[in-house]
């Protein structure tokens, strides 16, 4: 299948991408659940009544005018709906553009399994398992994730198992795997640059219902769908889930850290990192939660809150959770040397220097030299506050990910770390290039003094 636009494949018997199949499209949606014709007419994200986009079950009419939806009867002899499977050797690709605008590949069914290769650079890969699946645009208040939020509704008697045993590649994009049972048994490979981050979401939240109080203009009324249940997330033995900085990129940005860090979110009742599983994401934020949904029913405004009244996180022997900073980052000597001028704001705490010969003249400082003078931290020179100039230095993604990330493990019952499990949040290190450095020197009382040795109480 090759197309520059969007391709939808809907078949209740199930969908199999055979080992020799190749797909190259901007957007692929393959679903064995019937698609909600109401949302086709209105627009897939124009959903005021919070109806599921895919549903094998009848949906009632919405309070805001959306008609009821009755899916067609299953075509299989036993009345069941088939699964969606990508076999080993199959290649599903949604290529990116020169402007880094990617597409989406979304697989939906009672059970979904990938054994092949799925590639969505700058885009999103979604595996969603259940009998009802809803989608909504991710909130613009959280730019760290670009794409759709996925909600799993009723799972019936289905296992609602979403499994990745193959390879999912999403450079600078998002992978979302949702179901009652989420199994990451293969490889998820994403990346982060100075401007676009990668993210991974493994969510065993299900049994969601439509929120009758939903109003896109009133965020306090809650999300479109409200969860009631949590399942199990498994990161299988020898599996690899990683988001690496693109160290070969020549792109740079100002500041001391990434505007958008790599992000990993895992949420369920039980999270199991199996033996020798690897989660590797330098400088990332990893938020791992094991709990339950506390649902308060109401005809007008039901509430759903994720609480830690139950749940376990189990990290097995040899499992590695590594968000340490990038190591061996080459930093040119020129990145550490700044030529600047100290003026009003920089000399605000230096009264003797405000009208001295140092004011508004070119000064060369070494930003690697820091210290404290009379309780005030300084960089380059104690004669003024040059810290603001650090934010104009252009840095590559290696430099911006040298700081260690964070791992948050929250569970209602227990967090178990077996002997040999490894959690790493340490900082990385840089390799400063050599060179001759000449910082500014001045004369005071007939003595030649380097700017790094100047004192605020001397002119």
């Amino acid at each position: 299948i090759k197309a520059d636009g969007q391709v939808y494949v809907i078949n209740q018997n199930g969908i199999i991408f055979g080992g020799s199949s190749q797909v190259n499209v901007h957007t692929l949606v393959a679903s064995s659940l019937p698609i909600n014709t109401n949302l086709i007419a209105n627009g897939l994200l124009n959903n005021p009544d919070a109806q599921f986009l895919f549903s094998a079950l009848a949906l009632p009419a919405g309070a805001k005018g959306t008609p009821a939806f009755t899916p067609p009867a299953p075509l299989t002899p036993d009345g069941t709906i088939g699964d969606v499977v990508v076999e080993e050797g199959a290649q599903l690709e949604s290529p990116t553009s020169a402007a880094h605008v990617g597409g989406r590949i979304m697989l939906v069914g009672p059970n979904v399994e990938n054994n092949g290769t799925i590639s969505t650079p700058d885009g999103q890969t979604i595996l969603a398992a259940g009998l009802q699946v809803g989608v909504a645009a991710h909130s613009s208040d959280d730019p760290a994730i670009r794409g759709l939020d996925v909600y799993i509704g009723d799972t019936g008697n289905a296992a609602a198992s979403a499994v990745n045993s193959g390879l999912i590649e999403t450079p600078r994009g998002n992978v979302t795997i949702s179901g009652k049972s989420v199994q990451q048994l293969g490889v998820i490979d994403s990346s982060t640059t100075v401007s676009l981050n990668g993210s991974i979401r493994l969510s065993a939240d299900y049994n969601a219902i439509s929120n009758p109080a939903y109003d896109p203009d009133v965020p306090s009324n809650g999300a479109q769908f409200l969860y009631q249940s949590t399942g199990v997330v498994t990161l299988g033995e020898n599996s690899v889930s990683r988001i690496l900085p693109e160290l070969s990129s020549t792109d740079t940005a100002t500041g001391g850290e990434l505007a958008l860090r790599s992000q990993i979110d895992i949420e369920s009742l039980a999270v199991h990192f199996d033996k020798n599983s690897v989660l590797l994401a330098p400088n990332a934020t990893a938020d791992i939660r094991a709990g339950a949904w506390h649902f308060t029913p109401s005809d007008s405004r039901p509430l759903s809150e994720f609480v830690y009244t139950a749940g376990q996180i189990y990290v097995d022997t040899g499992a590695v959770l590594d968000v340490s900073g990038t190591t061996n980052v080459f930093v040119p000597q020129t990145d550490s040397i700044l030529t600047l001028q100290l003026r009003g704001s920089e000399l605000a705490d230096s009264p003797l220097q405000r009208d001295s010969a140092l004011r508004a003249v070119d000064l060369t400082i070494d930003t690697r030299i820091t210290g404290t003078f009379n309780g005030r931290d300084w960089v380059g020179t104690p004669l003024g506050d040059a810290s603001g100039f650090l934010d104009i230095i252009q840095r590559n993604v290696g430099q911006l990910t040298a700081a260690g990330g964070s791992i948050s493990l929250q569970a209602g019952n227990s967090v178990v770390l077996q002997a040999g499990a490894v959690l790493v949040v340490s900082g990385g290190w840089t390799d400063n290039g050599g060179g001759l450095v000449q910082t500014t020197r001045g004369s005071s009382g007939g003595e030649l003094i380097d700017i790094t040795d100047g004192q605020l109480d001397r002119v």
Side-chain angles (χ1 to χ4, degrees), residues 341-360:
Q341 293 186 1
L342 301 178
R343 297 179 182 270
S345 59
E346 293 79 25
L347 298 174
D349 296 326
S350 309
L352 293 181
Q353 310 302 330
R354 292 174 188 170
D355 297 314
S356 71
L358 295 177
R359 180 183 176 90

Side-chain angles (χ1 to χ4, degrees), residues 120-125 142-147 168-176 188-201 241-246 258-265 279-286 323 397 401:
T120 56
D122 295 307
Q124 186 177 32
T125 295
D142 179 19
I145 296 178
R146 299 171 301 281
I168 300 178
E169 299 176 308
T170 57
R172 306 166 302 278
N174 169 261
V175 175
T176 293
I188 295 177
D189 190 9
S190 187
S191 65
T192 289
T193 65
V194 297
S195 57
L196 296 172
N197 71 330
S199 60
I200 298 172
R201 304 178 74 185
S241 308
R242 69 181 191 177
I243 309 174
L244 300 181
E246 294 187 6
L258 289 175
L260 298 173
R261 287 192 177 195
S262 304
Q263 186 163 319
I264 297 169
D265 291 305
L279 189 157
L280 175 61
N283 186 243
T285 299
V323 296
V397 70
T401 57

Side-chain angles (χ1 to χ4, degrees), residues 290-292 307-311 411-413:
V307 295
Y308 297 100
T309 56
N413 285 340

Side-chain angles (χ1 to χ4, degrees), residues 54-335:
F54 301 96
S55 181
L57 308 175
L59 302 176
K64 298 167 186 170
T66 304
F69 169 69
T70 302
L75 303 177
T76 51
D78 59 357
T80 61
I81 294 176
D83 297 333
V84 177
V85 178
V86 180
E87 294 185 341
E88 184 177 354
Q91 298 183 26
L92 280 60
E93 180 180 5
S94 174
T96 187
S97 68
H100 292 291
V101 177
R104 180 178 299 108
I105 292 178
M106 182 174 184
L107 308 181
V108 180
N111 299 288
V112 177
E113 183 172 357
N114 171 52
N115 299 293
T117 299
I118 300 176
S119 178
T120 56
D122 295 307
Q124 186 177 32
T125 295
I126 296 173
L127 307 184
L131 296 183
Q132 294 178 315
V133 175
V135 299
H138 188 72
S139 172
S140 58
D141 294 335
D142 179 19
I145 296 178
R146 299 171 301 281
L148 299 178
D149 291 330
V150 178
Y151 298 90
I152 306 300
D154 198 328
T155 58
N157 295 323
S161 176
V163 181
N164 174 50
S165 298
L167 170 63
I168 300 178
E169 299 176 308
T170 57
R172 306 166 302 278
N174 169 261
V175 175
T176 293
I177 304 180
S178 295
K180 184 178 181 179
S181 170
V182 172
Q183 301 176 57
Q184 157 43 7
L185 310 179
V187 176
I188 295 177
D189 190 9
S190 187
S191 65
T192 289
T193 65
V194 297
S195 57
L196 296 172
N197 71 330
S199 60
I200 298 172
R201 304 178 74 185
L202 306 179
S203 168
D205 299 317
Y206 69 101
N207 210 14
I209 65 167
S210 300
N211 180 5
Y214 171 71
D215 187 334
D217 297 324
V218 185
S220 60
N221 282 3
Q224 284 180 302
F225 302 92
L226 302 176
Y227 278 119
Q228 301 180 83
S229 306
T230 47
V232 179
V233 171
T234 301
L235 291 91
E237 186 172 356
N238 299 316
S239 65
V240 176
S241 308
R242 69 181 191 177
I243 309 174
L244 300 181
E246 294 187 6
L247 299 180
S248 61
S249 173
T250 59
D251 294 341
T252 59
T254 58
E257 63 181 34
L258 289 175
L260 298 173
R261 287 192 177 195
S262 304
Q263 186 163 319
I264 297 169
D265 291 305
I266 302 176
E267 186 172 87
S268 66
L269 179 63
V271 181
H272 181 204
F273 291 87
D274 209 343
K275 294 179 180 179
N276 302 316
S277 60
V278 175
L279 189 157
L280 175 61
N283 186 243
T285 299
D287 191 1
I288 301 161
R289 302 177 295 274
W293 288 99
H294 177 67
F295 180 74
T296 304
S298 170
D299 292 335
S300 58
R301 190 179 176 186
L303 299 174
S304 185
E305 180 183 8
F306 193 79
V307 295
Y308 297 100
T309 56
Q312 182 188 73
I313 299 172
Y314 190 95
V315 185
D316 216 329
T317 301
V320 176
L321 283 68
D322 187 346
V323 296
S324 59
T326 303
T327 61
N328 197 24
V329 180
F330 176 74
V331 180
Q333 184 72 256
T334 52
D335 281 9

